[in-house]
Amino acid sequence: MRNNAVTVAAVIPLYNGAPFIREALESVLSQTEPADEIIVVDDGSTDDGPAIVEEMALSHPITLLRKPNGGQSSARNLAIQHTACSHVAFLDQDDAWYEEHLEILKRPFTQGHVRRLGFVYGNLDLIDRRGRLVQQSCLDEFLSPQPKRSLRDCLRHDMFILPGATLASKQAMIDAGLFDERLSGYEDDDLFVRMFALGFRNVYLNAAVTRWRIYSGSTSYSPRMARSCMIYFHKLVEMFPDEPRVGFLHVQTAIGPRFIDVLTSEFITASRSRDEERLRRAWADIQEVIPVMAPKVRRRMRLARPIVQATAHGPFRSLSRRAMRYVARDVLKETRELRKMRQWTGDKLKALLAPAAVTP
């Protein structure tokens, strides 16, 4: 693709983001290779965030769109449909780009070496609420493999393709159906897995291009997030059913284990914190996932179900946690083994493979 064919819209959904929106916009405005358009979508904010955007728009080319509250997916979709740019770079209101963000992510598109390139994404530095660095290149620590080279890579774990570290083709996103507006969580995984399945290629650049802010208000596992989790689970099961005759067992070996892993952790966390509502929700969601699991997991659940139901909400709740670990032991074992394998990557693996020093 020729360099002059790539135009970029920077898109920021805004919902009660007054504490962070100025920093986010300043990071967009300070790019070494500027965005062709900057769009902020006010998703029904009730704080001063939109007023801050309006103030900055007096001296900078910022477009503010307004809509009733409908979630990040609907806000991003509105901006995608509004822009005339060929590509879209997303940014969450509480994150910030490094200065070379667009320059780095545009390069694979402008070089044109990758056929049907749909999206390019980079690594992230983790920061806290006050903007202090917590960890450099944090994607190096997650189990999800980068880049994505197989459908299993996309289905087995959270993809960790953060919109705030991604530059995507507008047409590729439209072809994939844009963000699913039912989802308030997992909406990015959902879009990128559909783009992958349609044959759009991706490029991963292992350079931190974004500061990813994590704090208590950004990571709560809310009822809305839990509903989104299960909508996404059922959607994946429908999109990628098992086909044993050709050896495709996406549901049994990837989708089911992924969500059992997530929900078992949620169940154990809720049990330890004695959050009864959260515990009941996790247990109900687990019952929806168990039918797609391997027969041995379903058999273990039949044995464990009476124990969990009898002990989950009483003084012996530790027994319910032990029973759930028994049900999910294959999945938990796989996760532990993958984590150990990751410990042997990078410098450790290089040191192991390095030729032995010769003593003179």
Side-chain angles (χ1 to χ4, degrees):
M1 182 177 287
R2 300 186 311 276
N3 186 39
N4 60 9
V6 176
T7 55
V8 177
V11 169
I12 306 177
L14 175 65
Y15 178 71
N16 292 348
F20 305 112
I21 188 60
R22 187 181 297 277
E23 179 185 355
L25 279 169
E26 286 174 349
S27 77
V28 174
L29 293 166
S30 66
Q31 291 296 294
T32 56
E33 200 159 316
D36 298 279
E37 189 176 9
I38 302 172
I39 303 173
V40 178
V41 181
D42 174 23
D43 190 37
S45 296
T46 58
D47 68 358
D48 294 333
I52 295 172
V53 177
E54 289 178 324
E55 173 202 331
M56 296 183 71
L58 294 175
S59 53
H60 299 286
I62 299 170
T63 299
L64 178 63
L65 305 178
R66 298 180 183 271
K67 60 180 287 297
N69 180 249
Q72 277 198 136
S73 294
S74 62
R76 288 171 178 157
N77 285 347
L78 178 62
I80 293 168
Q81 293 162 334
H82 179 273
T83 185
C85 291
S86 63
H87 293 71
V88 178
F90 299 102
L91 179 61
D92 288 350
Q93 63 188 20
D94 46 5
D95 297 337
W97 290 344
Y98 284 119
E99 290 83 355
E100 304 86 3
H101 179 99
L102 292 181
E103 180 182 348
I104 291 172
L105 295 182
K106 280 177 68 173
R107 203 168 293 144
F109 284 107
T110 58
Q111 291 172 344
H113 299 324
V114 181
R115 180 171 56 89
R116 295 198 77 210
L117 182 55
F119 56 95
V120 177
Y121 64 109
N123 213 322
L124 309 108
D125 284 347
L126 185 64
I127 61 174
D128 64 13
R129 184 183 181 93
R130 294 168 61 182
R132 297 173 298 189
L133 182 65
V134 175
Q135 184 174 353
Q136 295 180 335
S137 298
C138 62
L139 294 192
D140 294 348
E141 302 298 319
F142 292 117
L143 297 179
S144 188
Q146 311 295 352
K148 304 305 179 188
R149 289 291 178 260
S150 72
L151 188 57
R152 179 179 171 80
D153 288 347
C154 297
L155 298 177
R156 178 59 183 90
H157 304 281
D158 287 358
M159 293 180 73
F160 283 105
I161 301 176
L162 275 293
T166 302
L167 177 63
S169 159
K170 174 185 174 180
Q171 190 58 53
M173 289 188 288
I174 291 173
D175 291 349
L178 299 179
F179 289 96
D180 187 334
E181 297 186 9
R182 299 174 300 166
L183 300 178
S184 297
Y186 297 94
E187 70 277 359
D188 43 2
D189 276 26
D190 172 59
L191 176 59
F192 293 131
V193 75
R194 283 185 277 122
M195 292 173 70
F196 182 95
L198 285 175
F200 289 106
R201 304 303 176 96
N202 64 93
V203 169
Y204 173 60
L205 303 174
N206 194 4
V209 295
T210 302
R211 298 190 296 278
W212 182 28
R213 195 185 312 268
I214 295 293
Y215 55 101
S216 58
S218 68
T219 58
S220 58
Y221 199 82
S222 65
R224 190 175 183 180
M225 179 71 165
R227 287 192 298 272
S228 189
C229 175
M230 296 313 296
I231 290 171
Y232 185 44
F233 163 72
H234 289 293
K235 184 174 183 178
L236 287 179
V237 170
E238 182 179 348
M239 284 195 299
F240 305 107
D242 285 344
E243 300 179 66
R245 294 183 63 180
V246 292
F248 294 159
L249 298 175
H250 303 307
V251 178
Q252 190 176 115
T253 66
I255 299 170
R258 171 186 181 174
F259 286 87
I260 281 294
D261 198 352
V262 170
L263 294 170
T264 298
S265 297
E266 177 67 7
F267 180 92
I268 291 170
T269 299
S271 173
R272 285 176 172 161
S273 64
R274 304 196 175 213
D275 186 332
E276 298 295 333
E277 180 182 352
R278 187 176 176 185
L279 185 66
R280 282 191 291 269
R281 187 171 64 236
W283 176 241
D285 291 344
I286 287 168
Q287 302 313 298
E288 292 188 43
V289 178
I290 285 294
V292 309
M293 297 295 294
K296 59 184 177 180
V297 179
R298 299 199 301 269
R299 287 194 296 269
R300 288 201 292 265
M301 176 54 83
R302 283 196 294 270
L303 294 173
R305 185 178 286 113
I307 298 173
V308 175
Q309 291 174 334
T311 62
H313 305 285
F316 304 105
R317 63 183 66 234
S318 63
L319 292 177
S320 69
R321 298 196 293 269
R322 188 174 302 177
M324 271 309 307
R325 292 190 186 97
Y326 164 72
V327 171
R329 65 183 184 183
D330 297 331
V331 174
L332 300 178
K333 179 182 178 182
E334 179 190 351
T335 301
R336 287 194 299 270
E337 290 175 347
L338 285 171
R339 190 167 286 116
K340 288 180 181 178
M341 288 175 62
R342 288 300 298 267
Q343 293 174 357
W344 286 96
T345 60
D347 294 338
K348 291 184 179 180
L349 184 59
K350 291 176 183 176
L352 182 66
L353 299 178
V358 177
T359 303

